[in-house]
């Protein structure tokens, strides 16, 4: 078994299967350490006994002030940290502007930024970064700019908010079940949830692959409890500001997600918080995820607490943000606390951000006290992504008090990405008190990426 415990923050460089490196300069990792400490600090603010998952704002702001004085971090990162903590943890969601991902402008300084990589031995604890500096292709160097994705979100009024009087109100399970099945509740309609809903065991998903949901569903930070199926089958519209609690989707043989089974092109899931949920699938390509089992659209601002995603089957990818993120799909700002992703089967890769990222993007993934574990041949695992392949990109991954394990031949493991190959790229990985472990012939372990 290869085991790499990380006792200190490791700010990882861009990791690219096509990169070349030269020892040219020494970069400092104190900024990455400060960010990681901030993420760990966020956990201490969470009163887990509170069923509403609320945070005392006075305590949070006081703690952020202590963080600013205790860590050597400039003012602007502290402000971004404060915003990220507020966005991810305050749960003070109210009807208002939506958030839309917008890629930041890449400055010359950002494009040339480099981080450190510790090339050390496979069985030695990683303690300090080395002076090695990696320089990848122009396209992958630009990946560093994705690090500011969360802080670069801008606000704009949505049609649902601007025309709230025209939105169809959803306040119970019977009304929810009418969407797409009743002439007065079309699949392209605009909906607002006005009360907490407990669904029945016979709930059926909204829309499917031939008749997708193309409308807008504004959860208004209300809760849907006890889902036993995807909320939406195939999504080409929008789901926003929704809490999902106590979902239990087990033994599915199809692509399965909690917010949506499939987030298709033009589909968006944004601002979903999940607690005490379990998704379990088995079978060939039975992808599973919280935001979406398969993501070709956008999943952003997903928080999962005490939740589990597990698959059993060949190519059955699993993740919190998305199981398979591909063909231009994007997963951004995924936070997992006390959660677990587990897979078994040939190429059944797993990650918190995404199980497999193929021509897709995963940015800003944070895991706190969480575990990713796989079993089988080529079952790569990571916090950002298990498999990062064919132009897939992973940026800004943070692991705190978390573990990634693989069991099987050529089952690579890493914090940023498990296996990074064929033009895939990983940038900006930070790990604090976290461990990567692997057992099996030809299996590799690393922080940025386990194998290439």
């Amino acid at each position: 078994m290869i085991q790499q415990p990380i006792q200190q923050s490791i700010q990882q460089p861009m990791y690219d299967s096509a990169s070349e490196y030269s020892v040219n300069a020494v970069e400092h990792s104190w900024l990455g350490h400060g960010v990681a400490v901030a993420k760990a600090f966020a956990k201490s603010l969470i009163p887990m006994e509170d069923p509403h998952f609320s945070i005392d704002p006075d305590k949070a702001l006081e703690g952020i002030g202590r963080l600013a004085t205790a860590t050597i971090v400039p003012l602007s990162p502290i402000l971004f940290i404060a915003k990220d903590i507020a966005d991810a943890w305050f749960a003070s969601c109210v009807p208002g502007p939506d958030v839309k991902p917008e890629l930041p402008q890449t400055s010359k300084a950002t494009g040339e930024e480099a981080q450190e990589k510790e090339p050390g031995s496979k069985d030695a604890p990683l303690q300090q970064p080395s002076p090695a500096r990696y320089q990848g292709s122009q396209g992958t160097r630009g990946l560093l700019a994705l690090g500011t994705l969360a802080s670069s979100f801008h606000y704009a009024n949505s049609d649902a908010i601007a025309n709230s009087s025209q939105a169809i109100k959803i306040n119970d399970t019977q009304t929810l079940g009418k969407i797409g099945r009743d002439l007065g509740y079309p699949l392209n309609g605009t909906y607002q949830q006005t009360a907490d809903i407990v669904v029945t065991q016979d709930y059926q998903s909204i829309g499917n692959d031939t008749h997708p949901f193309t409308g807008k569903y504004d959860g208004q930070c209300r809760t849907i409890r006890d889902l036993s199926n995807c909320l939406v089958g195939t999504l080409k519209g929008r789901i926003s500001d929704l809490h999902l609690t106590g979902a239990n989707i087990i033994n599915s043989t199809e692509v399965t997600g909690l917010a949506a089974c499939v987030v298709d092109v033009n589909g968006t899931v944004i601002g979903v918080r999940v607690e005490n949920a379990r998704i379990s699938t088995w079978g060939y390509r039975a992808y599973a995820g919280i935001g979406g089992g398969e993501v070709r659209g956008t999943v952003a601002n997903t928080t999962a607490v005490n939740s589990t995603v597990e698959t059993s089957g060949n190519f059955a990818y699993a993740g919190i943000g998305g199981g398979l993120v591909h063909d231009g799909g994007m997963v951004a700002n995924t936070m997992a606390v006390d959660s677990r992703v587990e897979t078994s089967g040939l190429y059944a890769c797993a990650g918190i951000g995404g199980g497999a990222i193929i021509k897709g993007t995963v940015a800003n993934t944070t895991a706190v006290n969480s575990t990713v574990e796989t079993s089988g041949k080529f079952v790569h695992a990571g916090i950002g992504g298990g498999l990062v392949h064919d132009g897939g990109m992973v940026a800004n991954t943070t692991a705190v008090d978390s573990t990634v394990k693989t069991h099987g031949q050529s089952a690579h493991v890493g914090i940023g990405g498990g296996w990074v190959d064929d033009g895939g790229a990983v940038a900006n990985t930070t790990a604090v008190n976290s461990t990567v472990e692997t057992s099996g012939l030809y299996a590799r372990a690393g922080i940025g990426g386990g194998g290439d």
Side-chain angles (χ1 to χ4, degrees):
M1 174 181 293
I2 299 170
Q3 181 172 339
Q4 296 191 5
I6 300 96
Q7 303 299 335
Q8 297 182 0
S9 169
I10 305 295
Q11 189 76 6
Q12 197 71 7
M14 174 194 10
Y15 187 92
D16 179 358
S17 62
S19 358
E20 299 175 355
Y21 84 87
S22 58
V23 183
N24 292 329
V26 177
E27 302 287 347
H28 300 284
S29 61
W30 52 263
L31 176 56
H33 180 72
V35 173
V37 171
K39 297 294 188 180
F41 172 76
K43 182 186 176 185
S44 71
L45 300 178
I46 303 171
M48 296 306 291
E49 71 278 3
D50 182 354
H52 298 291
F53 194 51
S54 61
I55 286 181
D56 181 348
D58 293 333
K59 179 181 177 182
L61 292 175
E62 177 186 353
I64 292 169
R66 291 199 308 270
L67 176 67
T69 58
T71 59
I72 310 175
V73 182
L75 177 60
S76 57
I78 284 293
L79 294 177
F80 286 152
I81 290 166
K83 178 183 182 299
D84 288 343
I85 291 175
D87 288 346
W89 302 111
F90 269 62
S92 59
C93 181
V94 293
D98 295 318
V99 239
K100 297 180 180 180
E102 175 182 327
L103 292 178
Q105 296 296 320
T106 306
S107 67
K108 184 175 186 295
T110 304
E112 293 179 353
E113 181 182 2
Q115 307 294 339
E116 303 82 9
K117 181 173 183 177
E118 170 59 56
S121 63
K122 290 186 177 180
D123 54 0
L126 301 181
Q127 299 288 349
Q128 297 292 342
S130 79
R133 174 174 178 172
Y134 277 63
Q135 298 177 333
S137 63
Q138 182 65 32
T140 53
R141 281 204 302 273
L143 188 60
L144 293 172
L146 291 176
T148 58
L149 186 64
S151 298
S152 298
F153 277 29
H154 67 85
Y155 291 82
N157 289 328
S158 70
D159 292 340
I161 299 303
N163 302 296
S164 59
S165 62
Q166 300 177 19
I168 300 171
K169 310 302 181 182
I170 304 295
N171 58 14
D172 57 36
T173 186
Q174 290 80 14
T175 309
L176 180 66
K178 291 180 180 180
I179 300 177
R181 298 178 178 88
D182 187 292
L183 290 178
Y185 297 79
L187 288 170
N188 63 351
T190 295
Y191 300 91
Q192 285 185 338
Q193 186 171 327
T194 57
D196 292 346
I197 295 173
V198 180
V199 300
T200 57
Q201 285 296 310
D202 60 354
Y203 173 80
Q204 296 181 11
S205 300
I206 299 168
N208 53 41
D209 56 349
T210 57
H211 297 88
F213 178 70
T214 58
K216 296 180 180 180
Y217 190 97
D218 176 11
Q220 296 200 111
C221 300
R222 299 289 188 173
T223 297
I224 297 179
R225 298 179 182 273
D226 301 339
L227 280 170
S228 58
N229 208 338
C230 312
L231 175 63
V232 171
T234 299
L235 176 68
K236 289 190 175 182
R238 181 182 182 88
I239 299 171
S240 62
D241 299 333
L242 183 62
H243 300 169
L244 301 170
T245 301
N248 190 29
I249 305 174
I250 58 174
N251 297 329
S252 172
T253 59
E254 301 176 349
V255 175
T256 301
L258 191 48
C261 291
V262 175
V263 182
D264 212 337
V265 177
N266 298 324
T268 299
V269 174
I270 189 162
V272 172
R273 192 186 76 204
V274 176
E275 298 176 61
N276 305 320
R278 181 191 176 194
I279 299 175
S280 174
T281 71
W282 63 276
Y284 178 69
R285 297 192 182 278
Y287 316 131
I290 296 283
E294 182 178 357
V295 178
R296 291 192 291 267
T298 300
V299 173
N301 295 5
T302 304
T303 299
V305 180
N306 191 33
S307 297
T308 299
V309 180
E310 55 190 7
T311 67
S312 177
N314 295 344
F315 295 90
Y317 308 129
I320 297 292
L324 171 62
V325 183
H326 68 131
D327 291 345
M330 174 182 287
V331 171
N333 295 1
T334 303
M335 176 80 78
V337 180
D338 296 328
S339 294
R340 182 179 185 87
V341 180
E342 186 171 350
T343 66
S344 63
L346 180 69
Y347 271 112
C349 303
I352 297 292
I357 300 94
I358 303 172
K359 294 181 180 178
T361 301
V362 168
N364 297 358
T365 303
T366 300
V368 178
N369 195 35
S370 296
T371 300
V372 179
E373 187 168 4
T374 63
S375 178
K377 191 174 181 180
F378 305 119
V379 285
H380 314 303
I383 297 293
L387 171 65
V388 187
H389 177 74
D390 192 16
M393 299 181 181
V394 171
N396 277 67
T397 304
T398 300
V400 179
D401 297 328
S402 296
T403 301
V404 188
K405 301 179 181 179
T406 64
H407 310 276
Q409 180 178 333
S410 301
H412 305 318
V413 59
I415 298 293
W419 185 28
V420 186
D421 84 322
D422 195 20
V426 170
N428 229 21
T429 302
T430 301
V432 177
N433 295 330
S434 296
T435 301
V436 292
E437 302 176 11
T438 186
S439 60
L441 192 64
Y442 309 124
R444 301 176 185 175
I447 305 306
D452 61 349

